[in-house]
Amino acid sequence: MNYRKSLIAGVFASAVTLGAGALSAAHAAGYAVFTHGASALGQGNAVTAHTSDPSTIFYNPALMNKLEGTQLQVGTTAIISSREYTSSVGSNSTSDEAVFFPSTFYVTHKFNDKLSAGFGVFNPFGLGTEWGSGWDGRYIATKSELTTFDFNPVVSYRVLPSLTVAAGLDVFYLDATLQRMMPSSALSAYGIPGGYDIGVKFKGDGTGIGYNLAAAYDICEHLTVGASYRSQVHVDISGDATLSSSVLPVSAFNSGGKTDLTLPPQFTAGVAFKGIDKLTLEAGMRWEGWSKFKELSIQQDNGVTTATPRNWRDSWGLNLGGRYQYDDTVALLAGYVYGDTAVPDSTFDPSIPDAKTHVFCVGTDLNLKPVTIALSYAYQLYENRSKHNTLYGVDETSANGKYENDAHLVAVSLGYKF
C-alpha cells in the first residue's frame, strides 16, 4: 500500500467511523432514540403493556387491537441538548448546544375484534453533536449528524380472548454527514505545508430491512404484560469523504467508498396494573444488543480496506410510569427512565459522549373528541463521563477530559379519531 492510499484510507475511515456512533440520543444507549410519542414520553416510555394512542405501533403494536376505529397521529419532540468538555491536561473547555426534532407519523385501523393494522414512520436512531472547529478534539470530531427513517407496516391479531400478537416490517433509510479537522502536516509528503487545519467531511446514505414482533397478554382484568422485539438491521452505506481548505489545494485527496452498519436488536417488556380507580401504572425494561458492534470496516473505491475497533456492549434500562385519568378530557402523566451506556471507556470518544442517564418526565393527554392532544416535558441528566484513551488521538491527550451532558425534551402529538 503506498503512502497516498494509506493516507486517504485513514481520512475516509476516521470520517465514516463517526457515522457508526456519532450521535447522542434521548433515553437510549448508543445512538438509539426512544422519543416516539408525547404521551409515552410523559409516562417515561413505560407503555409496552398498555396504550391510549397510535404510538403503540413503535412501543408494542400488539396493543393496536385496543384502539377503536381508524386513528391518525403526528408528533415531534424538541430535544435541546447541552454538553460541556473540560480538558484533563489544561484549562480548555468547550460547550456544545443543539436542538433536534425526531418526528412521528402513525395510522391504525381496527377491522374487527381480532384484526388490526397500522403504519408508522419514525426516527429510531440519530441526532448529533457539534463541537466547533477549534476545540481540543477537532481531529476526532467537529460536527456529526445522522438521521434514520423507519417505515413500519404492522398487523396485530387476537389469537385468544386474552392474547394478541403482532408482526411488522422495518424498512430503513439512513443518512449521515460527519465532519472533523485534519492537520495539514499529514500531507507534507505531497508538498502541502504544515501549520494549517484541513476540513474533512463525509456524506453517505444507505438502506436496510428488518422486522418486529410483539405480544400482549391480559392476565386478568387489571393486569397486562407486554413485550416487543425489533430485529437488527444491516445497512449498506456508500458515500464520499472530501477535504477542504481556503488556502491549500487538497481536493485531489477526496475519496469515495462504502461500509456497512448493523443497527442493534431491541427488546422491551412491561407489566401494567389498572386495579386503582382512574390510575394505570407500568414498570418495564429495555435491552439493546450493541455488543454486535465490534468494529467498523471501510472499503475504499481504490481497493484499500481499513478497520476501527468499537467493542460496544449490550445495554439495559428500566422504565416506571403512571397515567391518571382526571376526567373524561384530561389525563395526567409522570414517569422515570434509567438507561445504561453501550460505550466502554476504551473506545469512548466525543462524537458520542454517551453515559448512564436518568430521565424525569411529566405530561398530559387531552381528549377533545375527535381530536386528541398530548404534551410532555422531560429532563435528561447524564452521569459525568471522562475520556482517557488514546485510540483516536493525533496526540496522546487529544480530547481527554470530563464530559457533562444534559437535555430538555418538549414533545407534542396531535391525533384524530375517525
Side-chain angles (χ1 to χ4, degrees):
M1 182 191 306
N2 65 36
Y3 180 81
R4 184 174 185 277
K5 283 187 175 182
S6 177
L7 171 64
I8 295 177
V11 169
F12 192 86
S14 61
V16 180
T17 296
L18 298 179
L23 314 172
S24 169
H27 301 272
Y31 48 94
V33 179
F34 268 81
T35 308
H36 300 295
S39 180
L41 176 62
Q43 299 172 75
N45 290 337
V47 290
T48 306
H50 79 281
T51 189
S52 60
D53 66 44
S55 67
T56 197
I57 288 175
F58 175 81
Y59 295 101
N60 186 347
L63 296 169
M64 284 193 302
N65 292 65
K66 297 183 182 292
L67 302 178
E68 299 297 328
T70 300
Q71 300 192 25
L72 176 72
Q73 186 186 83
V74 295
T76 191
T77 302
I79 301 177
I80 306 160
S81 64
S82 177
R83 305 177 184 89
E84 185 169 338
Y85 155 77
T86 303
S87 173
S88 61
V89 295
S91 59
N92 292 338
S93 63
T94 302
S95 61
D96 164 29
E97 296 183 358
V99 182
F100 301 93
F101 295 91
S103 300
T104 58
F105 168 85
Y106 304 108
V107 59
T108 64
H109 179 72
K110 186 172 184 177
F111 293 97
N112 51 52
D113 288 341
K114 288 191 173 183
L115 180 65
S116 291
F119 178 74
V121 182
F122 39 87
N123 310 124
F125 300 91
L127 304 187
T129 57
E130 184 171 1
W131 291 104
S133 59
W135 82 293
D136 287 357
R138 62 189 179 277
Y139 300 136
I140 303 174
T142 56
K143 184 176 182 180
S144 308
E145 294 182 353
L146 181 146
T147 302
T148 61
F149 291 91
D150 185 348
F151 301 88
N152 181 199
V154 64
V155 174
S156 66
Y157 185 77
R158 187 177 301 281
V159 295
L160 297 171
S162 58
L163 176 64
T164 305
V165 297
L169 190 67
D170 294 290
V171 180
F172 270 81
Y173 171 76
L174 179 152
D175 179 82
T177 301
L178 304 317
Q179 298 179 101
R180 71 176 187 95
M181 306 302 290
M182 181 180 75
S184 59
S185 58
L187 301 176
S188 60
Y190 298 94
I192 302 298
Y196 296 91
D197 279 348
I198 297 171
V200 180
K201 178 179 180 180
F202 169 77
K203 184 171 179 61
D205 58 18
T207 59
I209 297 178
Y211 64 89
N212 65 296
L213 303 171
Y217 180 70
D218 295 320
I219 297 175
C220 62
E221 180 183 358
H222 302 304
L223 196 64
T224 301
V225 295
S228 180
Y229 174 80
R230 291 187 177 274
S231 73
Q232 68 180 41
V233 177
H234 183 85
V235 181
D236 292 316
I237 304 170
S238 60
D240 297 284
T242 58
L243 277 63
S244 62
S245 171
S246 60
V247 295
L248 301 174
V250 294
S251 61
F253 298 94
N254 296 347
S255 176
K258 62 183 180 180
T259 185
D260 57 72
L261 178 64
T262 298
L263 303 174
Q266 301 171 317
F267 176 79
T268 61
V271 180
F273 176 69
K274 303 178 182 178
I276 302 174
D277 186 37
K278 298 184 178 181
L279 182 64
T280 300
L281 299 173
E282 181 167 328
M285 57 75 64
R286 180 183 68 255
W287 170 85
E288 296 167 353
W290 292 106
S291 61
K292 295 181 178 296
F293 192 16
K294 298 296 186 183
E295 68 173 18
L296 188 72
S297 178
I298 292 74
Q299 300 82 43
Q300 285 183 247
D301 291 347
N302 58 20
V304 176
T305 299
T306 59
T308 303
R310 303 306 280 179
N311 297 322
W312 284 17
R313 59 196 179 204
D314 293 349
S315 65
W316 295 83
L318 64 86
N319 308 70
L320 300 172
R323 184 178 193 274
Y324 179 73
Q325 193 67 49
Y326 180 77
D327 58 27
D328 290 342
T329 301
V330 178
L332 305 177
L333 318 171
Y336 166 77
V337 184
Y338 169 77
D340 196 7
T341 177
V343 183
D345 290 343
S346 60
T347 60
F348 176 82
D349 77 76
S351 64
I352 178 166
D354 189 38
K356 295 179 180 179
T357 183
H358 306 268
V359 191
F360 307 91
C361 315
V362 294
T364 184
D365 284 347
L366 303 176
N367 188 358
L368 308 177
K369 303 175 182 178
V371 175
T372 60
I373 302 173
L375 302 168
S376 62
Y377 166 79
Y379 175 69
Q380 182 171 17
L381 176 65
Y382 291 86
E383 296 184 10
N384 292 345
R385 189 78 187 266
S386 294
K387 176 184 179 298
H388 47 77
N389 60 58
T390 59
L391 183 63
Y392 308 96
V394 174
D395 59 71
E396 291 187 353
T397 60
S398 180
N400 280 358
K402 182 171 70 173
Y403 292 81
E404 301 174 81
N405 301 347
D406 67 359
H408 300 273
L409 293 80
V410 181
V412 58
S413 296
L414 302 176
Y416 190 89
K417 298 179 180 179
F418 292 90

